[in-house]
Amino acid sequence: MRPKVYITRRIPEPGISLIEESCDVTLHPYDEPPAHEEIVNRIRDKDALLCLLSDRIDKEIIDAGTNLKVISTFSVGFEHIDVAEATRRGIYIGYTPGILTEATADLAFSLLLGVARRITEADRFLRGNRWRTAFSPSLLLGTSVWGSTLGIIGLGRIGKAVARRAKGFSMKVLYTKRTPLSREEELNLGVVYRPLEVLLEQSDFVSLHTPLNDETRHLINEARLRLMKPDAILINTARGPVVDETALVRALKGKWIAGAGLDVFEKEPIGPAHPLLHLDSVVLLPHLGSATMQARSKMAEVAASNLLAVLRGKAPPCWLNPEVENVRPLSRTRML
Ligand code: DGY
């Protein structure tokens, strides 16, 4: 019998066709994510689930999926999955680390440049037919990136990729991380450790690259925003809830900081009345960190390979919970 797979959204090729070669696929065909209740109903007879980070895969879904052997998420983030419960139930979890590192670092740097040089504001100015004088000495002045100081919070794969880009702009790169790098690694990457508070005080740009967990939720709160320089710019391509958005709006309106570039928000999508939409000092993007054709297509391929590997009784190439093998050995997930 072919395994039954539920896929919660159309992902780029070759993702779905790889799975369809050997499994019966039920695909949620709309752009809007399926309701939680719909996933609960669909999962009842499925052997595998391919989900997105906007699907909350909680205990109720895991309970309903009595045949479920693998959850493969089309994301590097996994805070939307109840990993402990899935593991307890012998469900393998695959994800997509590494693949979107460079794309996300590119986007973080685009935001940094975009806010510093007021790119989107200037574009709105021009399209709004407000460009009257050929060259104005003080029109839309931004701030210099070259030679400035960048503070990176969370120096994992993406943080390091941002640090490498910063070197090309002759930036001094500070970082903070729970476990600092070795001296040799610091020298190789050209980064200098600072405790969080000091980093915030000394940086012209602060870029966030931490995962979202209990320790990092609202890491950037009012007190920490107040430590930043008044001409500093905050960049967030990590997760929205790492920043207390209400405090950020106050910081921007009160000019405690000069601007922000945000690809992620506390609640996505943001509503039409969101106060950030009325501020010129921000550049806002709809969660596009990994949105290159190359990265998304590779993510789809890895998500499919993770799922198929488990159904073949093999270790998923990008495996989040190897301890699950103690609950259900791979020999008992094999259907293909
Ligand atoms: C992820 O994968 O976690 C990103 O946020 C989206 O690609």
Side-chain angles (χ1 to χ4, degrees):
M1 207 175 59
R2 282 160 63 94
K4 293 187 170 59
V5 179
Y6 182 46
I7 304 182
T8 62
R9 221 76 50 77
R10 186 170 290 287
I11 58 171
E13 283 305 333
I16 297 176
S17 45
L18 279 174
I19 299 174
E20 275 175 341
E21 278 169 21
S22 49
C23 304
D24 289 341
V25 169
T26 305
L27 172 68
H28 177 79
Y30 310 108
D31 278 345
E32 284 294 301
H36 186 260
E37 200 189 331
E38 177 163 357
I39 306 181
V40 171
N41 289 330
R42 295 277 183 198
I43 209 66
R44 293 189 196 287
D45 61 340
K46 302 297 184 296
D47 301 292
L49 167 67
L50 196 151
C51 65
L52 271 59
L53 54 91
S54 43
D55 305 315
R56 185 168 44 85
I57 309 302
D58 58 7
K59 184 169 184 312
E60 195 184 348
I61 290 178
I62 293 168
D63 279 345
T66 45
N67 294 341
L68 210 51
K69 293 158 191 72
V70 52
I71 297 171
S72 174
T73 183
F74 178 77
S75 64
V76 63
F78 50 83
E79 69 278 0
H80 54 297
I81 302 174
D82 186 339
V83 176
E85 185 58 25
T87 306
R88 202 181 63 75
R89 292 274 310 279
I91 298 171
Y92 287 65
I93 304 176
Y95 68 140
T96 63
I99 298 151
L100 42 87
T101 303
E102 304 302 339
T104 308
D106 282 349
L107 195 87
F109 227 85
S110 315
L111 280 173
L112 189 154
L113 290 166
V115 183
R117 299 304 302 272
R118 302 173 66 177
I119 301 292
T120 51
E121 190 186 349
D123 182 85
R124 287 194 295 271
F125 173 86
L126 188 151
R127 288 173 201 262
N129 207 19
R130 283 181 282 153
W131 188 20
R132 303 277 180 233
T133 313
F135 172 80
S136 303
S138 47
L139 177 66
L140 287 161
L141 300 187
T143 189
S144 227
V145 173
W146 179 266
S148 62
T149 299
L150 169 65
I152 297 181
I153 299 181
L155 199 70
R157 276 184 295 260
I158 300 174
K160 285 179 181 164
V162 170
R164 284 193 288 273
R165 283 157 178 74
K167 286 287 133 192
F169 284 77
S170 242
M171 295 173 100
K172 175 173 181 184
V173 182
L174 311 177
Y175 79 98
T176 191
K177 186 178 191 318
R178 210 168 17 175
T179 317
L181 303 185
S182 68
R183 186 79 191 107
E184 196 191 339
E185 279 178 297
E186 287 184 347
L187 286 174
N188 283 343
L189 199 59
V191 297
V192 180
Y193 176 81
R194 291 280 188 279
L196 176 60
E197 269 71 20
V198 180
L199 176 146
L200 291 169
E201 282 166 3
Q202 296 183 346
S203 301
D204 301 307
F205 299 91
V206 172
S207 193
L208 304 177
H209 299 288
T210 59
L212 176 64
N213 54 41
D214 291 343
E215 270 172 56
T216 59
R217 191 174 298 277
H218 284 193
L219 182 75
I220 303 301
N221 55 18
E222 170 162 348
R224 292 195 171 119
L225 285 163
R226 284 189 184 277
L227 293 176
M228 291 174 67
K229 297 182 185 182
D231 52 0
I233 288 169
L234 178 72
I235 306 298
N236 190 6
T237 53
R239 284 292 183 262
V242 175
V243 177
D244 176 347
E245 226 162 70
T246 310
L248 176 63
V249 170
R250 270 208 300 278
L252 290 161
K253 284 189 176 161
K255 308 233 179 293
W256 317 342
I257 67 170
L262 307 172
D263 184 43
V264 288
F265 301 88
E266 287 206 61
K267 184 173 175 302
E268 297 176 6
I270 60 172
H274 198 295
L276 284 167
L277 293 172
H278 303 293
L279 299 177
D280 263 336
S281 55
V282 295
V283 175
L284 308 174
L285 300 178
H287 205 140
L288 295 180
S290 61
T292 67
M293 285 177 294
Q294 295 83 348
R296 289 280 167 86
S297 143
K298 189 71 191 160
M299 284 167 72
E301 193 183 323
V302 170
S305 309
N306 284 337
L307 183 144
L308 290 168
V310 177
L311 297 177
R312 290 184 181 124
K314 303 238 164 63
C318 298
W319 189 0
L320 187 66
N321 61 343
E323 65 280 15
V324 70
E325 227 188 332
N326 300 327
V327 184
R328 180 183 349 216
L330 279 163
S331 55
R332 289 208 282 121
T333 65
R334 188 167 171 186
M335 297 184 73
L336 290 171

